[in-house]
Amino acid sequence: MSRTAKVAFVRGMLLPCIAAVIFAVLPGCAGPLSEEQRLADLDYLIEVFSESHPYVSLKKRAEGYDWSAHRDEFESIVAGCKTDGEFALAINRVVGLVNNMHTRLVGGSELSVWFRSDVRAYDDLAPWFTIMDDVSLKRAQYWFDLAQEPEYGNLPVVYSAGEYVVAGSVTGANGLSLPLGSVITSVNGVEVDDFVHSHRGAGWQPYDPI
């Protein structure tokens, strides 16, 4: 199914040997995006990732998650969005489901590096400069800010010998702390393997092939 729209929320690109990022280039418009525009943006994202993102096929082989096969699920999520905020959160989760540390939504503050004179001195990056010249840092920051999900807390955990072991010190929201070396067996009554699996896309989960 092909869709057309006058605006696009996301454009994709790969930085050679560095990272894959998504950034916003939404032209100014009155009011929130329409459902047609949101779905057109999603289609563009899926096409770019499926055709050009090396980690999509890698994750299918290594982790058994075929990102491209979830188009219907992604479309259902986006179709249910009523506001720009809901749409930004949905796109953030869809991008996160690739489960690659260098694939993420970024805002204007991070994209501003592309406009520095020392970076512009690299002639081999000229094609990316051409793309970036169409980016509004203000709009990129707007969408990035909308896409920030409530913090779950950043607990450093290592998966070792079949167990989830606390590898860093952190204090939880309830004021309790987990000592180093603690083994996590469940989260809020949910078995830890199921909890981690259900939170794919909420944050990067390094994969341990062993």
Side-chain angles (χ1 to χ4, degrees):
M1 178 187 308
S2 67
R3 300 188 181 91
T4 59
K6 295 181 179 179
V7 299
F9 162 41
V10 288
R11 292 291 184 268
M13 75 182 209
L14 297 180
L15 309 183
C17 303
I18 301 174
V21 298
I22 300 299
F23 52 87
V25 292
L26 177 69
C29 59
L33 298 181
S34 68
E35 179 178 331
E36 180 186 9
Q37 290 167 336
R38 291 191 293 265
L39 288 171
D41 292 339
L42 176 66
D43 279 348
Y44 183 88
L45 172 66
I46 293 174
E47 289 171 10
V48 169
F49 270 35
S50 298
E51 296 174 2
S52 307
H53 198 323
Y55 278 93
V56 169
S57 57
L58 173 63
K59 296 296 181 172
K60 180 180 179 181
R61 296 196 309 271
E63 300 179 12
Y65 185 84
D66 186 355
W67 186 89
S68 298
H70 290 261
R71 176 186 285 267
D72 290 346
E73 175 188 336
F74 300 157
E75 288 185 346
S76 176
I77 294 172
V78 167
C81 295
K82 302 301 181 185
T83 66
D84 282 350
E86 291 178 358
F87 178 54
L89 287 170
I91 290 295
N92 192 34
R93 181 58 64 89
V94 167
V95 170
L97 286 168
V98 176
N99 197 33
N100 171 247
M101 185 172 63
H102 298 296
T103 304
R104 64 195 187 282
L105 293 181
V106 296
S109 58
E110 187 169 349
L111 291 174
S112 64
V113 68
W114 286 92
F115 297 90
R116 288 179 6 198
S117 58
D118 59 326
V119 175
R120 292 276 171 159
Y122 290 95
D123 292 336
D124 55 335
L125 295 179
W128 308 121
F129 299 147
T130 301
I131 296 173
M132 291 304 300
D133 285 340
D134 293 329
V135 172
S136 164
L137 298 182
K138 182 177 181 180
R139 295 188 201 106
Q141 192 63 43
Y142 166 78
W143 286 105
F144 176 77
D145 290 341
L146 285 178
Q148 301 313 297
E149 298 194 51
E151 290 292 332
Y152 290 101
N154 187 17
L155 177 65
V157 175
V158 173
Y159 183 74
S160 176
E163 295 182 323
Y164 294 86
V165 182
V166 175
S169 179
V170 67
T171 300
N174 58 5
L176 300 176
S177 61
L178 296 175
L180 291 176
S182 297
V183 175
I184 300 176
T185 58
S186 65
V187 180
N188 295 330
V190 178
E191 200 276 328
V192 65
D193 281 321
D194 294 335
F195 178 84
V196 170
H197 179 74
S198 67
H199 281 71
R200 184 187 182 99
W204 179 55
Q205 299 173 3
Y207 178 71
D208 182 350
I210 298 176

